[in-house]
Amino acid sequence: MKRTRVLYLEVADKIKEDIFSGKYPVGSMLPTENELEELFQVSKITVRKAIELLATDEYVEKKSGRGTTVLSNRPYNRLSKAESFTQILKDSQYEVCKETIGLEKISIKKDDPLYSMFGSAAVCFKRLYYLNDQPYIYFVHYLPKDMNKMKQKEFDKESLYRLLTQNNHIIDSFSDDFSATFLTDEEKELLKTDSEIAIKRTRRSTTEDKEVVEYSEAIYHTDLHPYHINYET
């Protein structure tokens, strides 16, 4: 019994990796049960358990007689029923693009709050999101030091959370705090604004063992667009 559970988890994880990589895009059909049995050399029961798990986490939808459709490729899909703000923007009439403005490994002193999360070193990843060609969100992400092996082009083209997942940093939960913040001269210049105050979102993403795999700060130029969340009931 224990081995069966291990097998179906392994199969589910491999299918999930293939969804994240784009092998099975959103809207496409997974191989049939018979094809998955052959591919993984496992029993039909194991395949069905793996598909049931993926369906529970809302990555796929299985319909009798019609096969299994891929619904989502978000690594943190099961964590929240709230649609991501960047996805809301992309689905709107606004043109959204992003630019990497910094990627480096940094040293952390013991009196720095980041030390308790990452130890003596971390990767600092900075980027700007543009809304209709105007700077809108300034992100600063702090990540585990082993993410330093990733090239900038990988950060440019891939979802940050997908990169973390591919490097075995599996996010189990995240928490967001929002506050008003006074903008520094550097932040005003980056966001091209004269405003003194902006909304700041602080995020902490953790594994099942409560290990921090991302700490980030995002500053929003809300004169361009208010922060908005759609919740699914």
Side-chain angles (χ1 to χ4, degrees):
M1 181 65 70
K2 182 178 179 182
R3 180 56 183 165
T4 300
R5 182 175 186 276
V6 170
L7 273 177
Y8 87 75
L9 287 174
E10 289 176 355
V11 171
D13 286 344
K14 183 60 175 70
I15 295 173
K16 197 185 300 184
E17 287 175 12
D18 288 339
I19 291 173
F20 295 162
S21 71
K23 182 177 180 179
Y24 304 129
V26 173
S28 70
M29 305 295 290
L30 288 183
T32 66
E33 286 185 356
N34 289 338
E35 289 170 335
L36 290 172
E37 284 180 60
E38 182 67 24
L39 178 63
F40 294 109
Q41 294 294 295
V42 295
S43 69
K44 189 179 296 292
I45 292 176
T46 298
V47 168
R48 286 180 177 173
K49 282 181 174 288
I51 297 301
E52 287 172 6
L53 180 62
L54 294 172
T56 298
D57 287 346
E58 299 182 355
Y59 285 104
V60 302
E61 180 182 36
K62 182 175 175 60
K63 291 189 176 180
S64 179
R66 295 179 58 185
T68 304
T69 306
V70 178
L71 296 181
S72 173
N73 62 2
R74 296 193 302 169
Y76 55 98
N77 191 56
R78 70 183 179 84
L79 300 181
S80 175
K81 298 296 286 184
E83 186 178 9
S84 72
F85 182 45
T86 49
Q87 188 60 51
I88 290 171
L89 292 176
K90 289 176 182 178
D91 291 342
S92 70
Q93 72 272 26
Y94 297 100
E95 181 181 346
V96 181
C97 62
K98 59 186 177 182
E99 174 191 10
T100 299
I101 58 175
L103 179 63
E104 62 177 338
K105 187 176 180 179
I106 61 169
S107 298
I108 304 173
K109 296 181 179 179
K110 287 189 175 181
D111 59 353
D112 190 316
L114 290 172
Y115 190 91
S116 63
M117 304 181 209
F118 301 103
S120 60
V123 169
C124 181
F125 171 44
K126 299 180 181 180
R127 64 182 173 184
L128 271 175
Y129 268 84
Y130 292 84
L131 193 61
N132 289 349
D133 295 324
Q134 297 184 67
Y136 178 50
I137 315 172
Y138 173 42
F139 281 99
V140 180
H141 301 269
Y142 296 96
L143 310 168
K145 61 184 178 182
D146 66 351
M147 293 297 289
N148 188 51
K149 64 186 177 186
M150 309 299 294
K151 305 296 183 184
Q152 181 173 318
K153 63 181 180 180
E154 295 174 280
F155 282 89
D156 290 340
K157 70 178 183 179
E158 273 286 13
S159 156
L160 172 60
Y161 296 104
R162 192 166 294 132
L163 287 179
L164 285 166
T165 299
Q166 291 170 357
N167 283 272
N168 296 315
H169 297 296
I170 311 300
I171 295 173
D172 182 73
S173 64
F174 62 78
S175 62
D176 289 343
D177 293 309
F178 292 87
S179 61
T181 185
F182 286 100
L183 295 175
T184 66
D185 290 339
E186 178 188 8
E187 290 163 348
K188 288 181 184 179
E189 184 176 351
L190 283 169
L191 293 170
K192 298 190 184 307
T193 179
D194 294 325
S195 297
E196 298 292 331
I197 298 176
I199 288 179
K200 179 179 180 179
R201 188 205 72 190
T202 303
R203 171 169 290 180
R204 187 185 298 239
S205 304
T206 58
T207 67
E208 188 175 6
D209 296 328
K210 304 306 178 185
E211 175 189 0
V212 177
V213 294
E214 179 215 11
Y215 173 79
S216 64
E217 297 178 349
I219 297 175
Y220 295 81
H221 183 189
T222 49
D223 289 346
L224 291 180
H225 193 287
Y227 192 98
H228 182 78
I229 302 175
N230 284 339
Y231 285 101
E232 180 183 329
T233 60

